[in-house]
Amino acid sequence: MAAHNELGKVGEQLAHDYLIKKGYLIKERNWRCKKAEVDLIAQKGEILAIIEVKTRSTDAFGDPKDFIDDKKINMLISAIDQYVCSKKLDVEVRFDVIGIVISGEQIQLEHVEDAFYHF
């Protein structure tokens, strides 16, 4: 597996562990629908949080969360619509981004709730 894929897996595990500590119930990991892949689907109370995890080894080229484009956002929205309908869920849906920079032993993690409204 390529080094960037390994870094991504480490980041997803860090995000998973962070969410668990914050009281979220992880419903799905790497859930796929057509061409979309949702990193984490988590629930806290009546909120279904759709989590996109972006992990980088440096922030020299920008914040990790800045690498989510409109195409990715639209794919996630479409996929989650399918997910909510197929599971017949009655929840509020929120799209979050967890940006992680792993540089040596240092880890920076930023959780942005309702991220698509903050870009």
Side-chain angles (χ1 to χ4, degrees), residues 2-69:
H4 71 277
N5 290 339
E6 287 294 328
L7 184 65
K9 293 291 179 197
V10 170
E12 285 180 12
Q13 187 62 49
L14 287 167
H16 173 275
D17 296 347
Y18 165 84
L19 291 168
I20 294 290
K21 287 179 187 172
K22 292 291 185 180
Y24 288 82
L25 170 66
I26 305 301
K27 312 271 288 174
E28 306 278 350
R29 287 181 82 159
N30 303 112
W31 184 80
R32 296 180 87 55
C33 177
K34 298 179 184 171
K35 293 183 179 183
E37 180 180 319
V38 180
D39 295 329
L40 296 166
I41 300 174
Q43 188 162 355
K44 188 171 186 180
E46 295 299 314
I47 296 174
L48 189 69
I50 312 313
I51 316 291
E52 178 68 13
V53 181
K54 289 296 182 188
T55 308
R56 299 288 185 264
S57 59
T58 178
D59 60 0
F61 300 105
D63 197 297
K65 69 183 180 300
D66 294 337
F67 291 90
I68 301 172
D69 60 15

